[in-house]
Amino acid sequence: MKKFFQEIKADIKFKSAGPGQKLTESAGEKAPKERPNPPALRQPRQGPTDEAQMAAAAALARLEQKQPRARGPTSQDSIRNQVRKELRAEATVSGSTEAPGTNVAPEPREEGSAHLAVPGVYFTCPLTGATLRKDQRDARIREAILSHFSTDPVAASIMKIHTFNKDRDKVKLGVDTIAKYLDNIHLHPEEEKYRKIKLQNKVFQERINCLEGTHEFFEAIGFQKALLPVPDQESPEEFYVLNVAALAQPQSLERHKEQLLHAEPVRATLARQRRVFRPSPMASQFDLPGDFFNLTADELRREQRLRAEAVERLSVLRTKAMREKEEQREMRRYTYTLLRVRFPDGCLLQGTFYARERVAALYGFVREALQSDWLPFELLASGGQKLSEDENLAFNECGLVSG
């Protein structure tokens, strides 16, 4: 134990003895301590000379004169736009008889729609010629009809009666009643009672007052509202009374009556969006936007009615003819179809149609695109089936509509 403590003390003395010495050195001589070199004094930085400043200014001026180089697309949106430009370069749009600037469909806005065969379903307003989206056609037609009152109030009121009122049976009943009023005036011009129409009359209230546009029609053809006394009543009632100027022109009343009877609702026509594709791998793309599949409120009601009829048919026995007819009805659930016609040179002609349109419409569409429209031609379906122009078949009945 004593030896152990002696070794510990010797080790402590050895470590505390300081730096070692060579054996050849005397005990009094010690190695001089190295002193750190003093830090070098930093020389002040001199500014550029006048010649260097002039050279830098000249170089900067040359850089500013150069135009920056265009960079390629980096984001996903710019890449998608570049793809669209390349597709449009391959697909050439043929000429159209519509007014320029009115038949250009907007760019598609759906996600991943760079390869859509068509931007969507569009319509043409028959009054203004403007191209309308599917969701804005009714509002734009209403605006066009209302704006027509300033130029031709009779025609505008007739269009309003037939277009704004959706119940065709009520429209027919009201129009026939108005025509009866005008017939009585034409047949009995001397009798005053036929020139007056009581507004609170039950027939007038049930058949005419409930329709939009009827009051505008009466006022446009020469009727005026007036309070007249009624026998056996103390207070007067409101009547429509034909003025003298209109009574002196019975031919005009007869013409307005015929216009009212033979008018049709103003409906936006489906825009064909005719396009011609040159032979290209991109021409095989056939992706459709949601407009071809989304249903409107009227289409949903029709679909519900067809389903209710289908449930009712399941409860009865059906013949083969009945089943075939039901299959054709099932194919009518699509409203629009996009058709392409391949020419012998490989070019494709594309157009949008109603699924219920007849094959004759396709023949007319192709004939309008031909330089010599008198040349005979035949159309064949993808399976080799010949499509006859004379047959009264719809596209969904001859296999040209599929989901």
Side-chain angles (χ1 to χ4, degrees):
M1 181 66 65
K2 182 178 180 179
K3 184 178 181 180
F4 174 73
F5 285 107
Q6 289 177 351
E7 290 178 356
I8 293 178
K9 291 180 181 180
D11 185 63
I12 293 175
K13 289 181 180 181
F14 180 78
K15 291 181 179 180
S16 60
Q21 298 179 359
K22 292 182 180 180
L23 297 178
T24 57
E25 295 177 350
S26 61
E29 295 180 357
K30 293 183 180 179
K33 295 183 179 179
E34 294 183 358
R35 295 181 180 178
N37 294 328
L41 296 176
R42 298 181 62 180
Q43 298 294 331
R45 185 176 180 179
Q46 297 182 356
T49 63
D50 295 340
E51 293 79 1
Q53 291 180 2
M54 294 176 60
L60 182 60
R62 288 195 300 270
L63 289 176
E64 292 178 351
Q65 291 177 356
K66 293 183 179 180
Q67 296 292 335
R69 298 181 60 184
R71 298 178 60 188
T74 55
S75 64
Q76 292 184 358
D77 293 337
S78 59
I79 294 174
R80 190 177 294 114
N81 293 332
Q82 184 68 20
V83 172
R84 290 197 188 101
K85 292 180 181 179
E86 295 177 358
L87 290 177
R88 283 196 294 268
E90 295 179 357
T92 59
V93 181
S94 62
S96 175
T97 57
E98 297 180 2
T102 59
N103 59 342
V104 179
E107 290 292 330
R109 297 182 180 180
E110 298 185 9
E111 185 67 24
S113 60
H115 300 291
L116 289 178
V118 67
V121 178
Y122 292 89
F123 298 83
T124 303
C125 178
L127 300 178
T128 62
T131 300
L132 312 175
R133 294 196 310 270
K134 183 179 178 182
D135 57 347
Q136 63 180 187
R137 50 181 174 174
D138 293 337
R140 292 294 182 86
I141 287 180
R142 174 180 285 268
E143 294 176 0
I145 292 176
L146 295 178
S147 64
H148 201 63
F149 273 97
S150 60
T151 56
D152 192 346
V154 176
S157 59
I158 293 175
M159 289 188 291
K160 186 175 181 179
I161 292 173
H162 285 275
T163 307
F164 290 10
N165 303 287
K166 303 303 182 182
D167 193 332
R168 301 306 302 162
D169 294 334
K170 287 186 177 181
V171 171
K172 185 179 185 309
L173 183 60
V175 167
D176 290 342
T177 305
I178 296 175
K180 185 64 175 177
Y181 287 148
L182 299 181
D183 282 337
N184 290 335
I185 297 174
H186 181 73
L187 296 175
H188 310 281
E190 303 298 332
E191 297 191 27
E192 184 180 359
K193 65 177 182 179
Y194 293 117
R195 302 197 297 267
K196 298 185 297 183
I197 302 174
K198 186 178 179 181
L199 270 63
Q200 296 302 321
N201 181 272
K202 182 180 179 181
V203 174
F204 186 90
Q205 288 292 322
E206 293 180 352
R207 300 183 182 182
I208 299 176
N209 189 61
C210 60
L211 299 178
E212 290 189 63
T214 52
H215 289 278
E216 290 90 337
F217 176 76
F218 278 113
E219 294 173 1
I221 64 176
F223 281 89
Q224 297 175 341
K225 289 183 178 180
L227 290 175
L228 300 177
V230 179
D232 302 330
Q233 288 188 10
E234 296 181 358
S235 59
E237 290 195 14
E238 197 171 23
F239 284 79
Y240 268 132
V241 181
L242 186 65
N243 58 39
V244 179
L247 183 62
Q249 298 178 348
Q251 299 84 0
S252 297
L253 293 178
E254 187 68 16
R255 185 176 67 255
H256 297 331
K257 184 197 73 173
E258 294 298 325
Q259 293 175 351
L260 179 65
L261 288 173
H262 298 92
E264 295 290 337
V266 179
R267 296 286 183 260
T269 58
L270 181 65
R272 297 297 188 200
Q273 301 185 75
R274 181 172 58 186
R275 300 184 67 186
V276 176
F277 295 89
R278 300 187 186 278
S280 168
M282 300 307 300
S284 61
Q285 296 290 338
F286 212 86
D287 298 333
L288 296 178
D291 288 349
F292 281 79
F293 309 102
N294 297 335
L295 299 179
T296 62
D298 293 337
E299 292 168 350
L300 287 173
R301 283 192 289 268
R302 186 189 62 168
E303 183 73 14
Q304 181 64 26
R305 189 188 73 252
L306 293 177
R307 290 186 179 183
E309 294 176 357
V311 172
E312 183 179 355
R313 287 193 300 270
L314 291 176
S315 61
V316 298
L317 296 177
R318 295 168 295 168
T319 63
K320 181 180 178 181
M322 293 173 63
R323 289 194 298 271
E324 292 177 352
K325 189 175 182 179
E326 290 173 7
E327 292 176 357
Q328 293 179 355
R329 287 185 178 179
E330 181 67 18
M331 298 180 67
R332 294 193 182 109
R333 68 182 184 272
Y334 296 107
T335 305
Y336 311 102
T337 181
L338 187 71
L339 298 180
R340 284 180 174 178
V341 178
R342 186 182 300 275
F343 286 82
D345 60 355
C347 292
L348 295 176
L349 176 65
Q350 174 182 287
T352 305
F353 296 83
Y354 284 109
R356 62 180 181 274
E357 285 190 77
R358 305 300 171 180
V359 176
L362 181 59
Y363 270 88
F365 176 71
V366 175
R367 192 172 287 112
E368 291 176 357
L370 296 177
Q371 185 175 4
S372 301
D373 56 0
W374 54 270
L375 291 175
F377 62 90
E378 293 182 347
L379 296 178
L380 302 178
S382 57
Q385 172 191 0
K386 180 180 177 180
L387 303 176
S388 177
E389 186 175 6
D390 299 330
E391 293 184 13
N392 193 27
L393 288 178
F395 296 134
N396 53 13
E397 295 175 346
C398 54
L400 295 181
V401 178
S402 61

